[in-house]
Amino acid sequence: MSDLRKVNIDGEEIEVPADYTLMQACEEAGAEIPRFCYHERLSIAGNCRMCLVEWVGAPKPQASCALQVKDLRPNRDGTPANIRTNSETVKKAREGVMEFLLINHPLDCPICDQGGECDLQDQAMAYGRDASRFQENKRAVDDKFMGPLVKTIMTRCIQCTRCVRFITEVAGVSEIGLASRGEDAEITTYLEKSLTSEMSGNVIDLCPVGALTSKPYAFNARPWELEPTESIDVMDAVGSNIRVDSRGGRVLRILPIINEDINEEWISDKTRFVWDGLGRQRLDKPYIRKNGKLTAASWDEALDLAASKLKGDPEGIAALAGDLADTESMKALKDLMDGLGVKNLDCRQDGSSLGTGPRQEYLMNTTIAGIERADALLIVGANPRMEAPLVNTRIRKTWIEGDLKIGLIGEACDLTYDVDHIGATASDLEKLAKSNSGFAKVLKGAKNPMILIGANVFTRADSAQIQNLCGAIAKKFKMVRADWNGYNVLQTAASRVAGLDMGFLPGKGGKDTNAILKAAQKGDIKTIFSLGADEIAEVDFGKAFVIYQGSHGDQGAHRADLVLPGAAYTEKDALWVNTEGRVQMGFMAVPPKGEAKFDWAILRALSEKCGRTLPYDSLDELRAKLFADHPTFAGLGHAPGAEGADKFDPSKLGKAGKVKADAFGLAIDDFYFTNPIARASQVMADCSAVGDETLSEAAE
């Protein structure tokens, strides 16, 4: 622990760590310090001067964000330095700073999207003068093009440089900078190109004025009109904590909630801007295919037809769960299929082989926050920047602040940090397992080494052999011990861990996804119940009768013979389990669209029609049965981490054998089009188009 120093703040003597900034020390003493440029997750710039305090005896006020407690010399009589946060000197200094900041700031409050949640407004009221003495013309600055997500009105900018520091330090792409000096200073993008970072939307939250606002949200609502609901993101398997803002049954905005263990206070652009997809291409009533065309039907008619198809031979029936299925709906579907005697069920619509071993086999056991303890990382067949942006930012943070060495086996890509590209194939992984030099030497010398395996690796034909190889590497380099589990799988589907935890997998003698689809094409599987399985090509279902339950008219609904409209993730209370195995609860922000129902309730009604009535009539009863059958779901907010690591032997995973020389592919082709909600979003389409333009320019 750092040494402690005493300091006298507003007459109260306190003891704080010597490496605290003066601002932190003042806040520890209960004083409120205004600021614009300072942000605890960014480097210190010290350029707004709003945080001035008086150091008694110093010739002028001090910027409290840029001065550390250890830099304060004691008074001549040996007593601790005296700091004043509310003296007349401080008051006058802050009024002067605020007056300067407002000299060129336009009177845009009535038309500014930041109005009502603007730091400049709040601090002008609290610390500013009651009148301006500035008589000259205000300067104007041209607006900049930053792409389809960030709207700019740069005349409002106060050059706090938060956006510059975030995009450079956290996002890892130097695409925003401060050009010129003095009165000519402007924040701009490089050659006014669109921002390409998948984390760029966070600059909107960081901007303390209305210079950078949300382009899709522009002029939609005022903050006091919105109803906030805390929930969980499902765009990937990270489980970022989010706030869903709605009005009149429509989601209008998604913002991050601070969770130090998962997303800190950031979210990806897909998480933040996918909300317009929640209102487009929605399934709002049941449909039955008649004469080759989907026709609207009543719920009774739809459920009767579904029940008639599920009453046949259980060997000719199968159930598949998609990537956005919530825990309760999968549990209800599994219970229904168990009641019908159906053993052909799978939650791995991508054909993954994971889920047959212990729980540590498919989790990110190090945990996301645990990455900060690692000093060596081997990435196998993954692109965390696209598959889990918040995991990638945590890796970058550790790389910047610590001494993290990173090796990559797989497709070379810009991960925003330096990597040692060892190779692209499973053969290169095999060589590393046998080597004691190069990156193997780095892993051997590391205190907390970890391996991060992409979920796509487990869809290969030789996945069992690669899994065994990765386990052997983990054992060889002592990645797993009682207090540390460095064996990690990076899941990409929000529903996957929950499905594996509850055993939504083939029963004894049952078929997995690949076998189900092959049997459907042969005609052996007559009926497939698809719970939002939208990533399977329409032709793969063969001539099977497909019952599709989901929220959007995507690929799954196009192939369906019967459509049961369900609720999207913002329209239901549900449990989600992230890639760490952490169970979290999402809440309903808006009601389901049209005649759509809660997914578990649809399955409960269907079970009655099938003569296999499920033993719960409410969500609470369903959860009680879920917790009784699978106790891990009762541990809300808990990530297992290294629990059970002393009994976990990664070298026993998979099976030994020769791996194929094929290169590792990536799980995601287009970051913005990974699920039905994203594919329905116009904003995501615009982002994807910008990405395609950037790629074509890079190729040229």
Side-chain angles (χ1 to χ4, degrees), residues 490-508:
L490 185 62
Q491 299 286 358
T492 56
S495 67
R496 186 63 52 85
V497 173
L500 297 177
D501 279 349
M502 73 173 66
F504 198 104
L505 296 166
K508 190 174 182 181

Side-chain angles (χ1 to χ4, degrees), residues 455-497:
N456 200 48
V457 167
F458 300 98
T459 62
R460 292 170 52 123
D462 59 349
S463 63
Q465 289 76 24
I466 293 174
Q467 186 181 28
N468 186 261
L469 196 54
C470 290
I473 289 172
K475 184 156 189 180
K476 176 181 178 180
F477 297 111
K478 297 180 175 59
M479 292 183 183
V480 180
R481 56 178 192 267
D483 64 332
W484 174 259
N485 190 338
Y487 182 86
N488 301 284
V489 172
L490 185 62
Q491 299 286 358
T492 56
S495 67
R496 186 63 52 85
V497 173

